[in-house]
Amino acid sequence: MEDLTRTRTSADPGRVPGRLAGRRIVVTGAASGIGRTTARLFTQEGARVALFDRDAGGLQRTLEATAGVTFQVDITDEDAVQAAVDEAAAAMGGIDGVVNAAGIMTKGLAADVRAADWRRVLEVNLTGTYIVSRCCVPYLLEAESATIVNIASAQGLLPNAPGHTAYAASKGGVVNLTRALAAELAPKVRVNSICPGMVDTPMADGYRANVGNYALKRVADPSEIAEAILFLTSSQASYVTGAALAVDGGRSYH
Ligand SMILES: NC(=O)c1ccc[n+]([C@@H]2O[C@H](COP(=O)([O-])OP(=O)(O)OC[C@H]3O[C@@H](n4cnc5c(N)ncnc54)[C@H](O)[C@@H]3O)[C@@H](O)[C@H]2O)c1
């Protein structure tokens, strides 16, 4: 059983160190925002991380604060993902967990968004999440207490923002993909999704959140999403699978 009485660090008196000690985790979208923040937090918690992203420069900057290996890969390219997953597993000695944080957003009313743009959003956010997960499954099935955490969106729960049809559809798909995988991979692998509201990352640049829609009247810092991802990845969530955890300041009910 985990010893929660260990000495806490003076740097952050609230933190119990080493919640992911020895875990080997693939993090996609690791070159920016939520993925980068998660990779750094996971490193602080004792994990080894394999950083996946298509942005080589961003990966390099993330690497400076993580004990990681980087893979410049587009998550929609199944052969490239398979090769990167195999290499990551060889480098880390296996894979215990996946965080699917790579994603894109497009804005536009349904009448204006052509099918090609719709397909790209579905391809990255939903199919890409599926591809990375399926390539990791054989490794996860060999691991102890394996996990997948998919970053969906509050719009996957309550798609009430005009101009986000494709994005909301893709994220609703991620919520249900998560549930389907949770059923299929139980009891070996726990699979959960996080549904953030607006988060202060490059993806949100140029958008002005109406914080009146949020009970907490503010957008999230990426660290607040990373902490929820940590919870679902750690043994503290050992009885949680198939969940869609809203980390949205109350947006989805407010
Ligand atoms: N920022 C928000 O307000 C918000 C809200 C809800 C959900 N999310 C979700 O959280 C996740 C992370 O978003 P973020 O805010 O950190 O955004 P971000 O733009 O800062 O980071 C996304 C990362 O994904 C990478 N990426 C995109 N397409 C890729 C592809 N095909 N292959 C490999 N890498 C790819 C990008 O290069 C980037 O590094 C996304 O799934 C996003 O939809 C974000």
Side-chain angles (χ1 to χ4, degrees), residues 166-250:
Y167 185 77
S170 74
K171 295 302 190 177
V174 170
V175 168
N176 246 11
L177 167 64
T178 301
R179 292 175 179 142
L181 281 175
E184 187 172 307
L185 300 178
K188 284 291 291 179
V189 186
R190 293 187 299 104
V191 191
N192 293 290
S193 65
I194 299 263
C195 298
M198 187 157 280
V199 188
D200 186 11
T201 72
M203 180 177 280
D205 281 355
Y207 291 96
R208 194 177 292 271
N210 179 2
V211 293
N213 291 336
Y214 293 75
L216 297 183
K217 305 297 181 215
R218 64 176 177 85
V219 302
D221 185 85
S223 64
E224 296 177 289
I225 311 303
E227 289 287 353
I229 299 169
L230 170 61
F231 166 68
L232 290 175
T233 301
S234 77
S235 62
Q236 290 176 318
S238 55
Y239 201 57
V240 183
T241 196
L245 178 61
V247 186
D248 66 354

Side-chain angles (χ1 to χ4, degrees), residues 105-204:
M105 164 135 77
T106 56
K107 200 166 174 354
L109 297 173
D112 302 325
V113 173
R114 297 182 65 89
D117 294 324
W118 160 277
R119 285 197 187 97
R120 184 64 192 159
V121 174
L122 270 286
E123 183 71 9
V124 175
N125 292 356
L126 183 53
T127 308
T129 296
Y130 173 70
I131 288 171
V132 174
S133 300
R134 72 160 290 277
C135 290
C136 289
V137 161
Y139 297 105
L140 297 175
L141 290 174
E142 284 179 11
E144 292 295 320
S145 310
T147 53
I148 299 175
V149 178
N150 296 324
I151 313 309
S153 166
Q155 295 202 49
L157 298 174
L158 181 67
N160 64 352
H164 290 94
T165 316
Y167 185 77
S170 74
K171 295 302 190 177
V174 170
V175 168
N176 246 11
L177 167 64
T178 301
R179 292 175 179 142
L181 281 175
E184 187 172 307
L185 300 178
K188 284 291 291 179
V189 186
R190 293 187 299 104
V191 191
N192 293 290
S193 65
I194 299 263
C195 298
M198 187 157 280
V199 188
D200 186 11
T201 72
M203 180 177 280

Side-chain angles (χ1 to χ4, degrees), residues 6-94:
R6 283 172 300 183
T7 312
R8 297 182 173 202
T9 61
S10 54
D12 181 351
R15 178 169 303 293
V16 179
R19 276 182 284 176
L20 299 180
R23 300 282 302 278
R24 302 151 298 181
I25 315 282
V26 170
V27 181
T28 77
S32 181
I34 294 168
R36 169 181 285 166
T37 307
T38 301
R40 288 178 173 166
L41 177 62
F42 278 25
T43 299
Q44 289 169 22
E45 292 288 345
R48 296 188 65 192
V49 285
L51 311 171
F52 283 30
D53 206 290
R54 61 182 177 187
D55 172 5
L59 279 176
Q60 210 47 45
R61 286 190 290 282
T62 302
L63 190 57
E64 286 158 17
T66 58
V69 276
T70 61
F71 297 89
Q72 185 186 7
V73 64
D74 187 315
I75 59 162
T76 66
D77 181 340
E78 190 169 34
D79 292 342
V81 170
Q82 185 69 68
V85 165
D86 292 344
E87 218 180 298
M92 299 192 294

